[in-house]
Amino acid sequence: MTYLIQETLKYAIPLMIVALAGVFAERSGIINLALEGIMILGAFIGVMVVRELQSLEVFIQAAANKEWVTMQGLALTAMAVAMVGGALFSLLLSFASVHLKADQTIGGTALNLMAPALVLFLVRIIANQNTLRMEPPANSATWFMIRKSTFGVDKNADWGFLGETFVNKVYPVIYICVILFVILAIILYKTKFGLRLRSCGENPQAAASLGINVYGMRYAGTTISGALAGMGGFLYALTIDGSSANGSVAGMGFLALAVMIFGNWKPLNIALASLLFGMFKCIAAGYAYIDINGDGKFLLKDLGINSYVYGMLPYVVTLLVLAFTSKKSRAPKAEGIPYDKGSR
């Protein structure tokens, strides 16, 4: 059960963050279909930053002396740079949607096509291969994961269910992302900025009549969206993809869009939906290692079902959930509609 919970969180938290990224964009009136592409770019930028900083003496000494606080600082630095990269990349969508009044669906699709091509091009230049990895012998497990040895405790010591599940073999950046999710959800629904942002996605003409800068708010919403998607991309690369970037995030950006729709553009619903979809992603990736009852038997593996069936499970569930719930979803009224000052 510990393995199932830990792996579910690894998949759920990136989904949750990127789905919230979609909420910020769509609540401002911009459809951000480019979440997948921004995640790909964020994963590349984060891995590249870690790769470059690993050569600095301060981090070499920190790794040798197991100074985990310093190592978490490296992870946070890479995540911050990935957020900046995602925010800058999203400005292409903002400019096309706000000033050029281009079709937002086509604009997002174009960025999704551009990002993997750009990343693979840069990876070939930097590493002369199709995958960019952190420099050996470093990897996400030894540099950024908290273990019992981090606190000088014997690895055979029993920390109980809570300790073994939520402290041992856990990436602290996951919890930082959860805290950020809560803060941003409060900002979106409990502050003047959040109210203005949401009003631009519901009725921009009414918002403009009250002195709200609709263009500025849509830029802000899409930029925040890009930053969060970049963060989610780095988190995916760090915790799921073996600290590597290869021009793909396995459809997590599109799955985050499904989570956003299923969650009805509401943070609490999105968090719960992320846990559901994250569990199915966990089952698809690690069904052979899930011991549900703690009796040493791997039930899902023993069923003899083909691994491709488990691999399809998250996407089949996504289609089924959307088929039965999409009619009840209420999207922002003005999303995808270019704002025209002269229209009423």
Side-chain angles (χ1 to χ4, degrees):
M1 186 60 71
T2 293
Y3 174 83
L4 178 62
I5 294 175
Q6 286 186 338
E7 293 300 308
T8 295
L9 289 177
K10 285 182 184 179
Y11 286 100
I13 303 306
L15 277 177
M16 189 170 69
I17 286 293
V18 180
L20 185 66
V23 170
F24 265 91
E26 298 203 7
R27 285 296 185 188
S28 72
I30 303 294
I31 298 175
N32 190 357
L33 289 184
L35 295 176
E36 177 88 359
I38 300 173
M39 282 188 72
I40 291 172
L41 188 67
F44 165 74
I45 293 174
V47 171
M48 184 180 67
V49 169
V50 172
R51 178 187 172 98
E52 294 300 319
L53 293 183
Q54 281 174 339
S55 61
L56 297 181
E57 184 65 26
V58 60
F59 294 116
I60 293 176
Q61 291 297 325
N65 299 328
K66 297 182 179 180
E67 298 173 0
W68 70 277
V69 175
T70 303
M71 303 314 303
Q72 298 309 315
L74 173 57
L76 290 176
T77 300
M79 188 164 67
V81 177
M83 292 176 69
V84 172
L88 293 176
F89 191 61
S90 69
L91 289 176
L92 295 173
L93 178 62
S94 302
F95 180 76
S97 302
V98 174
H99 287 286
L100 301 182
K101 294 181 171 57
D103 187 290
Q104 297 168 16
T105 301
I106 295 176
T109 302
L111 294 186
N112 282 335
L113 294 174
M114 180 193 300
L118 177 62
V119 166
L120 286 174
F121 173 72
L122 295 174
V123 169
R124 291 290 295 179
I125 292 176
I126 296 171
N128 196 29
Q129 56 186 8
N130 293 330
T131 301
L132 183 70
R133 300 184 184 278
M134 297 180 186
E135 289 290 344
N139 56 65
S140 63
T142 58
W143 279 56
F144 305 120
M145 179 187 285
I146 289 182
R147 299 172 180 268
K148 293 177 182 177
S149 58
T150 304
F151 305 100
V153 178
D154 185 82
K155 65 179 182 180
N156 295 320
D158 185 10
W159 278 4
F161 176 76
L162 293 179
E164 295 289 348
T165 304
F166 299 106
V167 180
N168 186 35
K169 296 182 179 180
V170 168
Y171 295 90
V173 290
I174 287 180
Y175 297 127
I176 292 174
C177 289
V178 173
I179 294 172
L180 184 61
F181 178 89
V182 173
I183 292 173
L184 289 174
I186 293 173
I187 290 174
L188 185 60
Y189 280 93
K190 299 296 181 181
T191 65
K192 184 184 295 185
F193 169 80
L195 178 61
R196 290 178 174 178
L197 184 78
R198 288 183 287 120
S199 69
C200 292
E202 293 293 335
N203 194 328
Q205 280 74 26
S209 69
L210 296 174
I212 298 173
N213 185 343
V214 176
Y215 290 155
M217 281 295 164
R218 290 192 168 183
Y219 262 101
T222 310
T223 302
I224 294 172
S225 176
L228 291 177
M231 172 196 287
F234 171 67
L235 194 62
Y236 173 86
L238 181 69
T239 61
I240 299 173
D241 208 21
S243 302
S244 64
N246 55 14
S248 173
V249 290
M252 290 286 283
F254 296 115
L255 195 57
L257 286 172
V259 169
M260 178 188 68
I261 296 170
F262 180 45
N264 204 20
W265 290 266
K266 296 179 180 178
L268 179 59
N269 293 348
I270 285 173
L272 297 175
S274 297
L275 291 173
L276 175 65
F277 283 87
M279 182 182 68
F280 283 110
K281 286 289 287 185
C282 168
I283 292 173
Y287 68 94
Y289 308 101
I290 297 176
D291 180 6
I292 298 176
N293 299 323
D295 56 2
K297 296 181 180 180
F298 304 103
L299 178 61
L300 297 178
K301 179 182 178 181
D302 295 338
L303 290 176
I305 299 175
N306 191 293
S307 61
Y308 291 107
V309 175
Y310 287 113
M312 292 189 301
L313 190 60
Y315 308 102
V316 172
V317 170
T318 301
L319 292 174
L320 292 175
V321 167
L322 290 181
F324 287 103
T325 63
S326 58
K327 289 184 178 180
K328 298 181 181 179
S329 298
R330 183 190 174 279
K333 290 181 180 179
E335 71 164 7
I337 303 174
Y339 170 62
D340 184 358
K341 291 182 178 179
S343 64
R344 287 292 182 268

